[in-house]
Amino acid sequence: MTMKSNAWVLLLLVIYSGVVSCIDDKCAACNAVAEEIEHGLSNEKPRNHLDMRHRLDSKGQRKGKVIDYRVSELRVVELLDGLCEKMQDYTIEKTDSTGQQWIKVDNWDNLTNKQEARAYSKDISTYCGRLLEETEDDLAELIKKGSVRAGDVSKVLCHDLSRHCSKASVHLNDEDDEADGEL
């Protein structure tokens, strides 16, 4: 390897290790993402079925399907589209000497350390992207089946799919993340 390629590898390792170590409590971060999905579910407006009968047959009758919005791909897209950008409204709030939680920020001007808060918001946004990359297909199927409802998103996303909050995998996930470079 040349000196230039070694520098690139070193730079990528530094960037990668920074992103991986940014989210210390993956369960809390996952719960914040789940909270934002919950918000989307609870604010859904009732929608009509999707009328996909755009063709006419030889008798002039409309042909195609009518799809229930609740089980449609459109609903999944509307729920998940822009989710990680919305996570940039979150930052870490210290709860006591050792505890911290993810909170949604209404007014960034009220924060004392805006630069640190913005860095955390970028971290959780990046985490959200990786979480969705890992779980999106399964989550989308569960949403379409009606298995994900307001009130149980955290259980489905953080316990069942990503396993970031399951007690048995908390220590395993930390070891796995360092070994294989995922979330």
Side-chain angles (χ1 to χ4, degrees), residues 105-114 117-118:
V105 178
D106 295 323
N107 187 351
W108 289 90
D109 294 330
N110 293 340
L111 300 177
T112 53
N113 191 344
K114 289 181 202 131
R118 286 289 185 189

Side-chain angles (χ1 to χ4, degrees), residues 157-181:
L157 182 63
C158 304
H159 293 269
D160 301 340
L161 293 178
S162 72
R163 301 192 186 278
H164 287 178
C165 293
S166 65
K167 293 181 194 300
S169 70
V170 169
H171 298 294
L172 292 174
N173 273 346
D174 291 340
E175 293 168 11
D176 290 345
D177 292 344
E178 292 171 8
D180 66 10

Side-chain angles (χ1 to χ4, degrees), residues 39-98:
H39 181 73
L41 284 169
S42 62
N43 289 331
E44 271 186 319
K45 294 181 174 100
R47 299 275 304 259
N48 291 331
H49 296 305
L50 303 174
D51 189 352
M52 305 303 287
R53 299 176 296 173
H54 301 295
R55 296 182 312 184
L56 297 177
D57 64 12
S58 61
K59 298 175 186 164
Q61 300 295 314
R62 292 172 65 182
K63 247 182 126 171
K65 291 196 244 180
V66 176
I67 302 170
D68 183 2
Y69 175 75
R70 311 265 322 141
V71 298
S72 70
E73 188 73 29
L74 177 62
R75 179 178 182 228
V76 172
V77 168
E78 288 177 347
L79 281 172
L80 300 181
D81 192 39
L83 175 66
C84 295
E85 288 80 18
K86 292 176 189 170
M87 295 311 299
Q88 291 183 13
D89 293 339
Y90 284 76
T91 193
I92 288 182
E93 176 183 67
K94 307 248 189 268
T95 55
D96 57 34
S97 62
T98 58

